[in-house]
Every structure is written in C-alpha cells, then in structure tokens.
C-alpha cells in the first residue's frame, strides 16, 4: 500500500518534464510581451517628450504645414508641422492599395480558379520570390525606371507621391496576392459545386459566390498590404523626393513619415527638440500600425460570423 | 404508359483508367421518385453526378453512354451545361447554403439566369420556400444569413434554392445523411409534397427512407446495376441474391 501511496504523491519524471516545458514556453511568451511593451514605452516616452518637455502644441504638430524643427516661428514656437508627412504617407499608401487590389484579385483568381496548374507551378513561386526581394532593390528599380518615366510623362523631377505609390504598389502586390490566394483557396469546394449545379456560369460562380464569400479575407489582405506600405521606409525614400512640404500635386517632391525619420534620425542629437520631434513621427507610425491591426481583427471577426 | 423523362443507356464512367460504372441502363418516369441504393463505393453517387454533368469539373473523369433528357442528348457537344443544370437541379449531402442571406441563396439561380424585377424575384423566392416546406419557419428572417439556420433548415433552403430555377428533375445525393432524424423526416416530408410536381432521383443509404418515399428503386453494386423495379418489389421480394443479401443486412 505504501509504495502505491508514495508513487502517487511523488512527482513522476513525466510531470517534471511537463512542468519544464511549460516554464520554457511561458518564458518565451513573456520575453515577447516584454519586448513589445518596452518598444511602446520607449517610443511613447520619446515621442511624447515633444509635447511635454518641449511644450509643442499637439494640434500644431498634427495640423502644421511647416516642418523645420530647428527653427521657430514669429511667436517663438518651433516649426514642427507634421501634416505634410502624414498626408504623404496616407496618399502613397492609399494609391498603392487602390492600384494593387484589382491586380491582386485578378492574379489570385487566375491562380486558383482559371488555371490552378500554372498557378501552382509558375505564379505561386514567382509571387513568393517577389515577397523576398529586399526593399532597396525595389527602390533602386523605382529610381532608375519609374522616376524617369514619371519625369517623361508629367515633367518636373519625376520624384513624388506617384513614384512612391508605384514602387509601393509593386512591393505590396505579391503580399496581397498570396494572401488573397489563400483566402480563395479556403472557400469550400461545395460552394463552387452548388453554384454550378444551380446553373451559374464559371464567371458567375467566381464573381457572385467565390469573391463574395471571400470578401472579408480579401479586405484583410488589402489592409495588411496597406500596413506594410505605410511602414516601408527605404524604397519610398529613394523615389519620393524627401521635401517636407505639403504635396502640391502627385508628381511634386514630397515626403512620408518614414522617409523623414530615416533621413533625420542619424543627424540629430538625442534629447533635443529635433530628435524628439522625429520620435513623435515614429509614435504616429506605431499607432497607425496598431490601427491597421485592429481593423484587420475587426474584419476577420465580422467575416467569421 | 408513363412518360420517360430521362433515359440512360450503357453508361460507362472512368476515373482515369479505373472503370467505376460498368454499363448502366436506367430510365426514369416523369414525376416519379426513384431511389438509388447500394453499399458505399457502388457507384450510385457517381452515376447521379453524371446526370447533370457535374463530372465536367474533374478532368480525369471520362463518361461514355447515351443520356437522353426529354429526347435531347445531355452529353452532346452543343449542350449548354448552364441551361441543363437549371433543368436538372441538384441537392448535396452536406447542407451547403452560400454564406449569404436566405433570400439571396434562393434567388441565386434565378439571378444568374436572367434579370428579374424585384416583385418577380420575391414571388419566386416565396414560392420556392413554400414548395420546400420551410416558408413558415423563415418568412420573417429572409434577410438573415442562411448559415444561422439549423442543419435541417439549411438543407430545405438548399432544396428551395434548387427549386427556384424551376427544374424538371431534382437530383438528391444523400440529402438526409448529415441530418438528425427529426430534420431528416422534415426533408422527407418536403420531398413527399413535391412528388407529382417534378421528377426526383435520390441516392440514399437508408432502405427505410427508400421504402417510405420512392416509387422505384435501383440497387447498385460494384459499379453494376443489379436490380431495378418498383420499390416494394425490390425491398420485399428481390429477384437477385445480392439484393436480398444487402437489404437483409448480410453485408454493406
């Protein structure tokens, strides 16, 4: 009796292993959470210093049109208007997403519905390859191909919102496409069968059943692409012209949050207003990526029904 | 003499090189319910899906034989599969409404076929749902998602959806296999109410179901049609030993 009692009360080897594994996975999770929270705290403390330490008015920051943090205006207030960059970021992102969506849906429909064989053999690997190309390569192509073309068509320098949006469009297209492909593939086969059994043509099946039931997934893909476009720095910086001015048109040199950040962060002194103002831009970026995330979750929840 | 709406002769079907149907000859009377029974893998669902050319979706399938629907060759090269499938509708084993509203589900086949006014559509949707004996349960919620219904209700919406294109033949592939007995009996009642209005061909694993609803029964085994006769005769006094063994539960 006692031996049974003892073996029941003593922790077995398997239990110890189980506990060990739990500790390991929990520590991994904890580490990630700590890192994410630290990033937020760090960026927030730096970014908010602009408003608390340097006493910049938040509204002036968000709506001001002049960006020259080293200088002051007539009232002695520093010129930290971030509106040109905010506008630039949103414009390139929206245009890139608008152009990319139809291409992504078209490619995805071809790969899943029209010609799955070619899709799996050629287009699939190609899109995966495109995802892996470093952004500096895209930027370089933009610089040597898109900018000259823009210069030729619209005149001026060729640098600007359109050039940035085009580069971003090419960059996010593979991401949006492959996510759309996954969504279309997850549409159950019986939707296709019953649509055809009801006398729908192939196009009606694609258009009225598959795309319609895949809409939440496609939207998620597009928002995901937008999040990526919004945060992309290098490629955009190479083609947008980096003039911190309100965009006068889509082909005049302008800037985005990221392009100004990468340009300026190495040339300012830690703790100075110039530096803090850049951190405020980073804070906006961080909050925006949070917003994109929330949107994606909301869509996914609604789509799940 | 009752009119034959669909006749099939010498039907051979191959999955790649493998022959799944070995020369089936079957005729269907207009407005009868015909049950196809047999063990799993006997080819009854395969045969059913050949009747509205659902095998066209799969490249590796070859269908041979003569299929005459109202005197027209179903597999003739100039047959419009879209029109064919509106005349020969299909209900699947899994209740599979689209993730749309009930109304949009039922209206789907009509909308793809032709442009109709709102009033005409409303009328067709109501008539189809009434025919499928589910109108009373859903009439207040036509714009709710069809996926929010119970399995049995979903299956009856699927039937209504197939009825909306006004088919002459309805193919049902084990329509109650995924349902609980209460829902199954409701679907059966629906079918009983539809008899005399259209021809139904139903694949079923339930001999009891075949005896309750069908006029004639065909027994399939290993890709052969073993016996085809009036349901009573097949189930109570079969001519062939295999049929006797199957219905008495000796195998399958």
């Amino acid at each position: 009796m006692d031996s049974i009692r003892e073996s029941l009360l003593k922790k077995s080897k398997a239990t110890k292993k189980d506990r060990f594994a739990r500790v390991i996975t929990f520590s991994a999770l904890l580490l990630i959470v700590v890192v994410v929270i630290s990033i937020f705290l760090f960026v927030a403390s730096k970014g908010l210093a602009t408003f608390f330490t340097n006493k910049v008015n938040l509204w002036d920051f968000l709506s001001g049109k002049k960006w020259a943090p080293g200088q002051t205006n007539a009232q002695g207030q520093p010129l930290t208007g971030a509106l040109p960059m905010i506008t630039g970021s949103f414009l390139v992102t929206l245009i890139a997403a608008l152009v990319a969506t139809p291409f992504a849906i078209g490619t995805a429909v071809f790969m899943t519905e029209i010609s799955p064989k070619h899709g799996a053999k050629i287009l699939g690997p190609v899109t995966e390859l495109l995802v892996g190309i470093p952004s500096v390569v895209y930027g370089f192509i933009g610089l040597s191909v898109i900018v000259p073309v823009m210069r030729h068509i619209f005149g001026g320098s060729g640098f600007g919102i359109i050039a940035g949006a085009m580069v971003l469009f090419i960059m996010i297209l593979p991401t949006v496409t492959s996510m759309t492909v996954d969504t279309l593939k997850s549409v159950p086969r019986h939707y296709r069968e019953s649509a055809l059994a009801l006398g729908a043509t192939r196009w009606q099946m694609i258009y009225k059943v598959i795309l319609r039931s895949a809409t939440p997934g496609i939207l998620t893909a597009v928002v995901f692409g937008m999040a990526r476009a919004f945060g992309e720095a290098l490629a955009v910086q190479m083609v947008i012209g980096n003039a911190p001015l309100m965009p006068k048109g889509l082909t005049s040199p302008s800037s985005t949050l990221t392009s100004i950040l990468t340009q300026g962060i190495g040339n300012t002194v830690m703790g100075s207003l110039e530096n803090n103002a850049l951190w405020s831009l980073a804070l906006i970026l961080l909050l925006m990526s949070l917003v994109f995330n929330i949107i994606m979750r909301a869509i996914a929840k609604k789509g799940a029904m | 003499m009752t009119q034959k709406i669909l006749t099939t002769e010498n039907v051979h079907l191959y999955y790649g090189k493998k022959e799944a149907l070995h020369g089936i000859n079957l005729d269907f009377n207009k407005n009868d319910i015909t049950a196809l029974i047999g063990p799993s893998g006997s080819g009854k669902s395969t045969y059913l899906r050949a009747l509205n050319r659902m095998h066209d979706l799969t490249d590796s399938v070859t269908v041979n034989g003569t299929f005459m629907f109202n005197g027209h060759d179903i597999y003739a090269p100039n047959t419009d599969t879209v029109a064919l499938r509106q005349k020969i509708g299909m209900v699947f084993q899994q209740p599979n409404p689209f993730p749309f509203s009930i109304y949009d589900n039922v209206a789907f086949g009509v909308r793809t076929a032709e442009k109709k006014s709102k009033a005409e559509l409303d009328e067709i949707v109501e008539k189809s749902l009434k025919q499928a004996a589910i109108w009373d349960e859903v009439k207040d919620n036509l714009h709710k998602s069809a996926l929010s219904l119970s399995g049995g209700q979903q299956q009856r919406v699927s039937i209504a959806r197939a009825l909306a294109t006004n088919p002459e033949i309805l193919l049902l592939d084990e329509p109650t296999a995924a349902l609980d007995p209460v829902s199954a009996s409701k679907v059966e009642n629906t079918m009983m109410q539809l008899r005399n209005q259209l021809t139904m061909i139903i694949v079923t694993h339930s001999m009891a179901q075949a005896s309750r609803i069908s006029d004639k029964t065909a027994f399939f085994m290993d890709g052969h049609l073993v016996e085809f006769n009036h349901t009573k005769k097949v189930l109570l006094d079969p001519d062939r030993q295999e049929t006797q063994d199957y219905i008495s539960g000796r195998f399958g």
Side-chain angles (χ1 to χ4, degrees):
Chain A
M1 267 327 250
D2 273 357
S3 72
I4 295 174
R5 190 186 157 85
E6 197 181 324
S7 75
L8 278 177
L9 289 177
K10 221 179 94 187
K11 287 206 167 61
S12 72
K13 209 174 165 195
T15 318
K16 280 180 191 155
K17 269 190 189 164
D18 192 60
R19 170 171 291 191
F20 182 67
R22 208 159 46 182
V23 169
I24 292 213
T25 49
F26 187 73
S27 339
L29 174 81
L30 203 67
L31 184 72
I32 300 285
V33 172
V34 167
V35 166
V36 170
I37 292 178
S38 318
I39 291 177
F40 260 89
L41 286 181
F42 184 69
V43 174
S45 72
K46 286 281 193 180
L48 292 175
T50 316
F51 310 111
F52 293 110
T53 316
N54 305 103
K55 305 286 179 212
V56 172
N57 184 308
L58 177 63
W59 181 243
D60 287 346
F61 180 80
L62 289 177
S63 65
K65 292 179 185 161
K66 202 149 171 60
W67 178 261
Q71 300 163 17
T72 50
N73 63 7
Q75 286 85 41
Q77 284 282 325
L79 293 167
T80 52
L83 191 62
M85 283 81 85
I86 297 175
T87 318
S89 274
F90 273 101
L91 273 179
V92 288
T93 305
L94 281 178
I95 296 173
L98 277 181
V99 181
T101 307
F103 281 94
I105 294 178
T107 316
V109 165
F110 183 85
M111 283 165 70
T112 54
E113 309 299 328
I114 314 278
S115 182
K117 269 186 199 150
H118 290 105
K121 262 198 200 137
I122 305 166
L123 276 167
V126 167
T127 33
E128 276 156 33
L129 195 73
L130 283 174
V131 177
I133 293 180
S135 57
V136 65
V137 175
Y138 284 109
F140 195 68
I141 293 170
L143 196 60
S144 48
V145 179
I146 295 176
V147 171
V149 168
M150 291 298 146
R151 191 182 304 144
H152 190 73
I153 299 175
F154 299 106
S157 66
F159 293 96
I161 301 266
I162 282 279
M166 285 304 123
V167 169
L168 284 177
F169 148 62
I170 300 165
M171 278 189 73
I172 65 172
L173 184 61
T175 316
V176 182
T177 305
S178 59
M179 282 182 73
T180 308
V181 166
D182 292 342
T183 313
L184 295 187
K185 276 189 182 156
S186 71
V187 173
R189 186 185 155 86
H190 63 71
Y191 286 174
R192 298 179 168 84
E193 285 191 341
S194 35
L196 291 177
L198 286 166
T201 61
R202 201 174 176 199
W203 170 242
Q204 286 171 329
M205 169 193 82
I206 292 172
Y207 176 67
K208 293 195 170 177
V209 176
I210 298 182
L211 287 184
R212 184 168 164 189
S213 43
T215 304
I218 296 173
L219 280 177
T220 310
V222 172
V223 177
F224 190 86
M226 285 174 76
R228 209 183 152 203
F230 202 81
E232 171 55 33
L234 196 56
V236 181
Q237 195 196 352
M238 289 167 82
V239 299
I240 200 163
N242 300 309
L245 308 165
M246 245 351 236
K248 286 193 199 67
L250 295 179
T251 53
S252 66
S254 4
S255 55
T256 63
L257 292 164
T258 47
S259 70
I260 292 298
L261 249 174
T262 46
Q263 251 195 340
I265 203 85
N267 304 324
T268 52
V269 182
M270 271 287 216
S272 66
L273 168 69
E274 288 94 326
N275 191 265
N276 285 346
L278 290 176
W279 281 107
S280 305
L281 298 185
L283 185 61
I284 297 182
L285 274 175
L286 199 61
L287 292 178
M288 273 315 295
S289 66
L290 203 65
V291 169
F292 281 124
N293 241 302
I294 292 169
I295 295 177
M296 276 189 273
R297 280 172 182 275
I299 294 172
K301 216 181 208 170
K302 213 177 159 202
M305 277 195 285
Chain B
M1 186 61 205
T2 43
Q3 190 195 339
K4 303 270 185 226
I5 188 164
L6 180 65
T7 62
T8 65
E9 230 173 277
N10 202 20
V11 174
H12 290 267
L13 185 142
Y14 305 85
Y15 286 110
K17 292 238 182 305
K18 194 176 155 282
E19 189 169 5
L21 295 176
H22 308 268
I24 309 282
N25 300 302
L26 258 181
D27 299 338
F28 300 95
N29 290 337
K30 196 172 166 60
N31 295 345
D32 261 8
I33 298 182
T34 307
L36 310 182
I37 62 169
S40 296
S42 58
K44 52 199 189 310
S45 286
T46 301
Y47 174 78
L48 190 78
R49 291 166 64 90
L51 297 179
N52 68 343
R53 291 183 61 168
M54 287 305 279
H55 289 301
D56 288 15
L57 305 180
T58 325
D59 288 335
S60 56
V61 174
T62 328
V63 185
N64 293 327
T66 322
F67 296 73
M68 300 302 263
F69 168 52
N70 281 339
H72 178 82
D73 181 4
I74 290 176
Y75 279 83
N78 60 352
T79 297
D80 180 6
T81 51
V82 169
L84 172 76
R85 289 177 188 144
Q86 280 166 0
K87 287 291 143 207
I88 306 184
M90 187 156 200
V91 175
F92 297 84
Q93 176 177 356
Q94 288 294 329
N96 57 357
F98 301 125
F100 313 154
S101 71
I102 297 167
Y103 186 97
D104 284 355
N105 260 286
V106 180
F108 180 86
V110 186
R111 279 181 176 148
T112 56
E114 56 193 318
K115 200 139 182 66
K116 292 252 191 217
S117 71
K118 178 91 176 62
E120 283 175 298
L121 262 184
D122 286 349
E123 197 181 310
I124 293 172
V125 169
E126 180 174 342
K127 182 171 153 248
S128 312
L129 285 167
K130 276 181 176 158
Q131 272 186 312
I134 187 159
W135 171 252
D136 290 331
E137 288 162 64
V138 299
K139 64 183 174 198
D140 300 323
N141 297 317
L142 287 180
H143 293 284
K144 251 174 69 176
S145 167
L147 296 182
S148 64
L149 300 173
S150 75
Q153 289 173 324
Q154 287 189 14
Q155 191 62 304
R156 279 178 288 153
V157 168
S158 303
I159 294 177
R161 185 175 66 177
L163 291 173
T165 59
N166 201 15
E168 291 179 40
I169 301 180
L170 194 57
L171 310 174
L172 303 111
D173 191 355
E174 295 183 47
T176 61
L179 304 180
D180 67 89
V182 177
S183 307
S185 79
K186 283 188 177 155
V187 171
E188 271 184 30
N189 286 341
T190 300
M191 293 174 63
M192 300 293 275
Q193 286 176 26
L194 287 171
R195 79 184 330 156
N196 303 328
Q197 294 175 49
L198 77 165
T199 312
M200 281 179 276
I201 305 170
I202 174 174
V203 167
T204 178
H205 273 290
S206 157
M207 251 82 70
Q209 182 171 61
S211 74
R212 279 194 297 269
I213 61 175
S214 68
D215 302 290
K216 292 182 106 178
T217 294
F219 175 61
F220 278 68
M221 211 171 98
D222 299 332
H224 294 277
L225 174 66
V226 178
E227 190 159 350
F228 178 49
N229 215 324
H230 291 285
T231 298
K232 261 193 191 138
K233 168 87 174 119
V234 173
L235 293 182
L236 297 178
D237 178 27
D239 292 331
R240 298 280 297 267
Q241 187 57 40
E242 296 98 313
T243 319
Q244 178 66 48
D245 288 349
Y246 181 70
I247 57 177
S248 57
R250 233 163 280 168
F251 69 88

